[in-house]
Amino acid sequence: TTTYTALPLTGLIAGSPYSLSEADEAGYGEGSWDCTPNAGGGTFNDGEVTLAPGEAANCAIVNDDIAPTLTVVKQVVNDNGGSASVANFGITTDAGDLVFDGGSTVDDTTTYTALPLTGLTAGEPYTLAELDVTGYSEGVWDCSPNVGGGTFDSGSVTLPLGEDVTCTIVNDDIAPSLTVVKQVVNDNGGSATVTNFNLASSAGDLVFDGGNTVGATTTYTATPLTGLSAGSPYWLVEDDVAGYSEGTWSCIPYVGGGDYDSGAVTLPLVEDVTCSIVNDDIAPTQTIVKQVVNDNVGSATVNNFNLATSAGDLVFDGGNTVEDTTTYAATPLTGLTAGVPYSLAEQDVADYS
């Protein structure tokens, strides 16, 4: 407290009212005049003092600087499947301990207001900090009505005298996205494309590009599906196509991605998840069977006929005879290509049809 005393004013007239006034100063309490020993001394509200004959009155007024207050408000927007509350963000300030209310929710936004922090010092920077929470945007501090309020980047707010400053920060949950990738392997004569498999997802309509072919594999990538909700399962399906293996869904980077058997993928906040499925054309096989009927004293076997095919070398078994007919089966020829003609030939043997 600093006390300032003016030089005494003399030559005054008893019974004459004298006005007393001062300007209001922002950040300071408005004082009240107190005049002694004059019992009839006016107050600041009256605006004047009247002195008695011979009286030496002292009129004093006290102004106290008003401590600023700080109120911290936290808004959490959970419009994309998030469930965080104020407690997850660990908000702190060196202005004091923050005690938040239970929050008020309107639509997807919950507003938490801390009890005002009082007894603070004007001109003193007070830190404002919170934790980063995965899946939520990093907020920016907004302090009002203090035009000098610090932001999250500067990390502090400086309060003026008498101000009741409110600092607010908003964090919004970030929607995940889903990209569907289809690979078709046509290394055995197949010609199917992504359209043959009729891929679909409850996450939205799939729009695939024209595909990128490397070797026998064509990769088709759909436009990412956005605005999805975390924690909601989205199914992934495709048609079975004859001649192609049934694929299995693989979802990355989310380790909990559903596979084709479970039929769905559940996305976490902010993740850009890619789910892929591969279908490979299944190579055909060819099996040659030779039957020799010796019901008229003939004795030929499969070897006499020199069977051949451009599909590969024929290796026959020893044959199985039932009455006069012996059936020889060759080992199946694999790794063939669909749509390719393969020759089949044998030699004519005298006395056999």
Side-chain angles (χ1 to χ4, degrees):
T1 301
T2 303
T3 302
Y4 301 90
T5 303
L7 293 175
L9 298 171
T10 59
L12 305 180
I13 299 174
S16 180
Y18 292 99
S19 64
L20 297 168
S21 65
E22 68 174 3
D24 289 335
E25 178 66 22
Y28 283 80
E30 183 177 329
S32 296
W33 289 101
D34 179 39
C35 296
T36 59
N38 179 33
T43 65
F44 179 76
N45 293 328
D46 295 337
E48 61 185 25
V49 60
T50 302
L51 306 176
E55 189 170 30
N58 291 320
C59 289
I61 192 168
V62 179
N63 301 90
D64 193 354
D65 59 345
I66 303 171
T69 67
L70 176 62
T71 301
V72 175
V73 175
K74 174 68 173 180
Q75 288 187 314
V76 183
V77 183
N78 286 316
D79 57 350
N80 292 301
S83 58
S85 68
V86 65
N88 297 98
F89 293 87
I91 301 176
T92 58
T93 174
D94 58 7
D97 293 332
L98 295 173
V99 179
F100 285 94
D101 61 16
S104 174
T105 301
V106 177
D107 296 327
D108 299 308
T109 301
T110 302
T111 301
Y112 303 89
T113 303
L115 294 175
L117 298 171
T118 60
L120 305 182
T121 302
E124 181 81 16
Y126 293 100
T127 61
L128 296 168
E130 69 170 6
L131 301 174
D132 289 335
V133 175
T134 300
Y136 284 79
S137 61
E138 184 175 330
V140 176
W141 289 101
D142 178 42
C143 298
S144 62
N146 180 31
V147 295
T151 65
F152 181 78
D153 293 327
S154 62
S156 66
V157 58
T158 301
L159 310 177
L161 278 173
E163 284 282 10
D164 297 320
V165 176
T166 298
C167 288
T168 303
I169 192 167
V170 182
N171 301 85
D172 194 350
D173 59 345
I174 303 170
S177 69
L178 175 63
T179 300
V180 175
V181 175
K182 173 69 173 178
Q183 288 187 314
V184 183
V185 183
N186 287 315
D187 56 352
N188 293 299
S191 59
T193 67
V194 66
T195 56
N196 296 99
F197 293 87
N198 292 322
L199 280 85
S201 173
S202 58
D205 295 332
L206 297 175
V207 180
F208 286 93
D209 60 17
N212 179 41
T213 302
V214 177
T217 301
T218 302
T219 301
Y220 303 89
T221 303
T223 302
L225 299 170
T226 59
L228 306 181
S229 293
S232 293
Y234 294 101
W235 49 257
L236 300 165
V237 296
E238 68 171 7
D239 290 346
D240 290 336
V241 175
Y244 284 79
S245 61
E246 183 178 330
T248 300
W249 288 101
S250 172
C251 298
I252 55 173
Y254 184 47
V255 294
D259 57 22
Y260 182 78
D261 294 328
S262 63
V265 58
T266 301
L267 311 176
L269 281 173
V270 80
E271 285 282 7
D272 298 320
V273 176
T274 297
C275 289
S276 302
I277 191 167
V278 182
N279 301 85
D280 195 349
D281 58 345
I282 303 170
T285 65
Q286 183 181 64
T287 301
I288 304 296
V289 176
K290 176 65 176 177
Q291 287 185 318
V292 182
V293 183
N294 287 313
D295 57 351
N296 291 298
V297 198
S299 60
T301 68
V302 67
N303 295 329
N304 297 100
F305 292 87
N306 291 323
L307 280 83
T309 174
S310 59
D313 295 332
L314 296 174
V315 179
F316 286 94
D317 60 18
N320 180 38
T321 302
V322 178
E323 296 180 350
D324 299 312
T325 302
T326 303
T327 301
Y328 303 90
T331 302
L333 298 171
T334 60
L336 307 182
T337 302
V340 173
Y342 293 100
S343 63
L344 296 169
E346 69 174 2
Q347 291 181 1
D348 291 336
V349 176
D351 297 327
Y352 281 81
S353 60

